[in-house]
Amino acid sequence: MPRYEKQGYAYEASKCLLQAAKNSLDIKTLLAITTASNVASQKLLKKLGFQFAKQATMTAEKEEIFLYSISL
């Protein structure tokens, strides 16, 4: 919803999930995907510390997707 955009909610929630994945679930690596056109999600992933890993094309939708990863 537009009125809740750009207020940091996604960042704060994602940061908590990353901490839980590391501390409570002992996860070592997380992967994330987003479409090439979703620039806001790409910026959020980079801000969280994810690194771009790979670009691919979803065949059925013919849409470019980006794969990101982070080591915890």
Side-chain angles (χ1 to χ4, degrees):
M1 296 178 68
R3 75 183 211 181
Y4 298 107
E5 291 177 359
K6 301 202 186 292
Q7 301 214 13
Y9 297 130
Y11 176 77
E12 292 299 325
S14 298
K15 209 57 177 157
C16 289
L17 286 173
L18 288 175
Q19 290 174 347
K22 179 180 180 180
N23 299 331
S24 299
L25 302 174
D26 197 33
I27 293 175
K28 304 292 185 217
T29 303
L30 283 175
L31 302 175
I33 59 170
T34 185
T35 59
S37 61
N38 192 341
V39 177
S41 289
Q42 294 168 34
K43 287 181 181 179
L44 174 62
L45 290 171
K46 290 175 186 175
K47 184 175 180 180
L48 289 165
F50 282 80
Q51 299 293 315
F52 178 82
K54 186 176 181 181
Q55 181 175 346
T57 302
M58 291 191 309
T59 318
E61 292 82 9
K62 293 187 174 138
E63 184 164 13
E64 292 295 312
I65 57 170
F66 294 160
L67 173 69
Y68 290 83
S69 68
I70 188 171
S71 297
L72 303 174

